[in-house]
C-alpha cells in the first residue's frame, strides 16, 4: 500500500517537474527571440524618431531574458536545442520588418506580443492548476512579464502598426511563425 502511495507521489512530482521544465524552456527561448527581434529593429530604426520607443521595449526584453537565464540553471532545465535558430530568426524578423518601414516593425511587435500575451496567460492557468503556493515565484514573474508584453502590444498599435502594408497577412504570418516556434521550443 505504501509503495503504491509513494509511486503515485513520485509520478505526480515527475509530471510536475516536466511541466515546469517546458514552461521555463519555452519562455527562455521566447525572451531570447524577443531580445533579438528588438535588436534587429534597432539596427535599422535606432536613429529614427521611433528609436527611443523601440529601445524601451528592448530594455524590458533584456530584463525578461536575464530572469529566465537565471531560472534555467536554478530549476535545472535544459534550454531548447533551437536557441541558435531563434537567435538568427529573431534578428531577421526584427530587421526584415523594420526594412519594410516603421509601421511594419510595429505590426511585427503587435503580432508577436499578442501571441506571447496569450501564451503567458495559458501558462498562468496551468501553473495555478499545478499549485499556486508551490509555484508563486514563477507565477509572479510571468504575470509581470505578461503585463509588459501587453504594454508592448499596445505601444505597437499606438505607433501605427495597422498602417503597415498588407497588415492583415503580415500579422497572420508572424503569428503563425511564433506559434510554431512556441510549439517546437516546448518540445525539443
Ligand atoms: Fe518579453
Ligand atoms: Fe515584449
Amino acid at each position: 500500500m505504501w509503495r503504491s502511495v509513494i509511486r503515485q507521489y513520485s509520478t505526480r512530482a515527475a509530471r510536475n517537474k516536466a511541466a515546469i521544465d517546458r514552461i521555463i524552456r519555452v519562455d527562455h527561448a521566447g525572451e531570447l527571440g524577443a531580445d533579438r527581434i528588438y535588436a534587429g529593429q534597432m539596427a535599422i530604426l535606432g536613429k529614427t524618431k521611433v528609436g527611443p520607443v523601440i529601445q524601451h521595449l528592448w530594455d524590458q526584453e533584456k530584463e525578461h531574458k536575464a530572469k529566465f537565464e537565471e531560472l534555467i540553471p536554478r530549476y535545472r532545465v535544459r534550454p531548447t536545442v533551437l536557441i541558435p535558430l531563434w537567435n538568427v530568426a529573431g534578428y531577421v524578423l526584427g530587421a526584415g520588418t523594420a526594412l519594410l518601414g516603421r509601421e511594419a516593425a510595429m505590426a511585427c511587435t503587435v503580432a508577436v506580443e499578442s501571441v506571447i500575451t496569450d501564451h503567458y496567460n495559458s501558462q498562468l492557468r496551468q501553473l495555478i492548476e499545478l499549485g499556486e503556493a508551490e509555484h508563486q515565484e514563477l507565477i509572479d514573474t510571468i504575470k509581470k512579464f505578461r503585463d509588459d508584453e501587453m504594454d508592448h502590444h499596445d505601444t505597437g498599435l499606438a505607433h501605427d502598426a495597422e498602417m503597415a502594408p498588407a497588415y492583415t497577412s503580415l500579422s497572420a504570418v508572424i503569428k503563425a511563425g511564433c506559434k510554431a516556434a512556441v510549439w517546437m521550443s516546448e518540445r525539443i
Side-chain angles (χ1 to χ4, degrees):
M1 136 94 179
W2 283 110
R3 213 177 281 168
S4 101
V5 171
I6 290 167
R7 201 181 309 126
Q8 250 177 22
Y9 181 79
S10 48
T11 318
R12 187 184 163 269
R15 223 182 287 137
N16 220 316
K17 161 81 175 129
I20 298 300
D21 280 8
R22 267 162 83 120
I23 287 175
I24 295 176
R25 180 177 306 121
V26 65
D27 292 355
H28 170 251
E31 294 298 352
L32 173 121
D35 170 79
R36 293 295 83 204
I37 289 173
Y38 292 111
Q41 288 190 358
M42 278 304 280
I44 308 297
L45 297 170
K47 294 204 166 68
T48 68
K49 211 176 64 191
V50 286
V53 176
I54 299 171
Q55 183 67 52
H56 172 69
L57 305 178
W58 190 17
D59 289 343
Q60 287 192 318
E61 302 300 357
K62 286 181 198 167
E63 280 173 33
H64 298 174
K65 187 182 82 156
K67 181 64 184 179
F68 281 104
E69 277 171 352
E70 174 206 320
L71 295 179
I72 283 263
R74 184 135 62 79
Y75 282 79
R76 297 172 188 277
V77 174
R78 174 187 59 75
T80 169
V81 298
L82 298 169
I83 288 292
L85 176 61
W86 302 148
N87 234 317
V88 177
Y91 192 88
V92 168
L93 177 61
T97 48
L99 282 169
L100 296 175
R102 174 179 68 86
E103 295 84 356
M106 291 296 164
C108 167
T109 294
V110 171
V112 170
E113 302 291 0
S114 94
V115 171
I116 296 310
T117 301
D118 290 349
H119 165 78
Y120 276 154
N121 277 329
S122 86
Q123 284 189 342
L124 286 169
R125 285 191 290 273
Q126 195 193 350
L127 283 166
I128 288 164
E129 252 172 55
L130 288 171
E132 206 168 345
E134 211 180 321
H135 303 297
Q136 200 57 58
E137 185 199 8
L138 215 43
I139 290 174
D140 290 344
T141 300
I142 293 175
K143 260 190 197 158
K144 153 89 173 64
F145 292 0
R146 187 266 327 265
D147 291 347
D148 290 345
E149 314 302 10
M150 270 169 79
D151 281 345
H152 299 174
H153 169 270
D154 295 349
T155 301
L157 283 181
H159 288 84
D160 303 330
E162 288 161 314
M163 315 251 288
Y167 175 73
T168 315
S169 23
L170 184 64
S171 166
V173 168
I174 295 171
K175 281 183 181 176
C178 286
K179 285 179 192 165
V182 165
W183 192 88
M184 287 192 273
S185 302
E186 282 176 336
R187 286 162 180 81
I188 51 176

